[in-house]
Amino acid sequence: MKLLRYGPKGHEKPGMLDAEGRIRSLVGAVSDIAGDVLSDAGLAQLRSIDPGTLHIVGDNPRIGACVGHVGKMVCIGLNYADHAAEAGMPVPPEPVVFNKWTSAIVGPNDDIEIPRGSKKTDWEVELGVVIGRHAKYVDEAYALDYVAGYCIVNDVSEREWQIERAGQWDKGKGFDTFGPTGPWLVTRDEVPDPQNLGLWLEVDGHRYQNGNTRTMIFPVAKLVSYLSQCMSLQPGDVISTGTPPGVGMGIKPSPVFLKPGQTVRLGIEGLGEQTQRTRAAE
């Protein structure tokens, strides 16, 4: 299934995509794409519904983040060896973990705000992993059983705040609008191998990133297991699993960063696409 949320920001409604790519309303079936709805039992209930019996949503509504009430968005840094190389950083012996504040989460096609005074706002296409049930001290062999599904995340980053100012990476990762998520949550039964997905990103039609999740240093199962050793993961938590090479700060001889008035497009095989316009923060 491809699950989604549509409608004005803060008032999104649950929906699913039918075989023809039309949005079908799940209003009345579930309150949101969140919490226990993401469990195996919750997803099985949705799977039992004939999409043809659901109302078709017209008028091309805004698409919100594909998960509601996200408790935490946990991000992984330097999870592709070639991205670590372009960043001038060593390949990490264990996953590099940081947070993106939930206030950064927006819809897949919402605008990206360039923070006031920023000259180093960057892009990162990433595979998002949505947790479906409580996970704590999970064995890697069973880790994917705790995944509800997958989505696209653009891990937008302000590099000066991330790298050049004292403290943790979190500061440069959590600005408002820095976490476009969706358009869909694609359930794990439709993604038999999360380690073989092509992913790409373009700015103003120029392709900067073109990679595949098979080159991750730490695969999805390892990440879910690892994180569950140091925190409990809850239904609706999102793990953003790192980006392949081609980010703006790694471009030689001169880095390229986002500025207001540009268009960012990105996608992952089988998970859809995002399109954002950049604008100056008010």
Side-chain angles (χ1 to χ4, degrees):
M1 290 184 296
K2 294 180 175 65
L3 303 175
L4 56 94
R5 300 167 69 247
Y6 64 92
K9 188 172 184 179
H11 300 279
E12 292 90 349
K13 298 176 181 179
M16 69 165 59
L17 212 65
D18 68 16
E20 287 73 43
R22 297 173 297 191
I23 298 173
R24 298 275 186 164
S25 174
L26 285 171
V27 173
V30 293
S31 59
D32 204 349
I33 307 301
D36 290 341
V37 171
L38 301 173
S39 68
D40 287 349
L43 294 176
Q45 181 181 356
L46 291 181
R47 208 171 277 116
S48 70
I49 299 173
D50 177 3
T53 65
L54 300 173
H55 172 70
I56 295 175
V57 179
D59 299 326
N60 193 29
R62 169 189 173 269
I63 304 300
C66 59
V67 186
H69 309 291
V70 176
K72 52 186 174 289
M73 179 175 271
V74 185
C75 302
I76 307 299
L78 305 175
N79 198 28
Y80 291 72
D82 34 13
H83 171 55
E86 74 174 353
M89 299 179 183
V91 173
E94 294 191 30
V96 174
V97 180
F98 61 91
N99 295 304
K100 189 179 285 283
W101 320 126
T102 55
S103 53
I105 298 173
V106 292
N109 304 316
D110 290 344
D111 290 349
I112 294 172
E113 292 183 1
I114 306 298
R116 292 182 181 180
S118 171
K119 296 180 180 177
K120 296 184 178 181
T121 298
D122 206 345
W123 57 81
E124 294 189 7
V125 58
E126 304 197 0
L127 173 66
V129 178
V130 180
I131 298 299
R133 59 187 174 108
H134 177 84
K136 188 172 183 178
Y137 299 121
V138 171
D139 189 285
E140 185 175 345
Y142 305 104
L144 295 185
D145 294 342
Y146 292 79
V147 173
Y150 302 91
C151 63
I152 304 169
V153 174
N154 188 354
D155 176 19
V156 186
S157 309
E158 211 296 330
R159 301 302 189 187
E160 180 185 0
W161 280 87
Q162 177 192 354
I163 299 170
E164 300 173 29
R165 304 178 72 144
Q168 302 296 314
W169 284 12
D170 302 9
K171 292 193 299 185
K173 296 286 191 170
F175 284 89
D176 290 354
T177 75
F178 272 27
T181 302
W184 317 312
L185 188 165
V186 181
T187 52
R188 73 171 187 267
D189 58 299
E190 294 195 9
V191 186
D193 184 4
Q195 302 309 145
N196 189 26
L197 300 174
L199 61 172
W200 56 270
L201 182 144
E202 299 175 349
V203 179
D204 291 340
H206 179 86
R207 183 157 295 196
Y208 286 97
Q209 292 189 275
N210 213 3
N212 192 289
T213 58
R214 64 173 169 263
T215 65
M216 282 184 182
I217 298 167
F218 305 107
V220 171
K222 173 66 176 179
L223 294 175
V224 173
S225 174
Y226 181 90
L227 291 173
S228 77
Q229 310 305 310
C230 56
M231 67 185 78
S232 60
L233 299 171
Q234 311 296 335
D237 285 351
V238 178
I239 304 169
S240 197
T241 59
T243 197
V247 300
M249 73 173 179
I251 295 172
K252 305 293 190 295
S254 299
V256 175
F257 296 110
L258 294 170
K259 56 184 182 293
Q262 294 187 291
T263 299
V264 182
R265 290 183 61 244
L266 56 152
I268 299 180
E269 182 181 352
L271 304 186
E273 296 184 9
Q274 300 184 353
T275 301
Q276 297 114 26
R277 289 284 292 172
T278 58
R279 61 178 174 84
E282 298 177 356

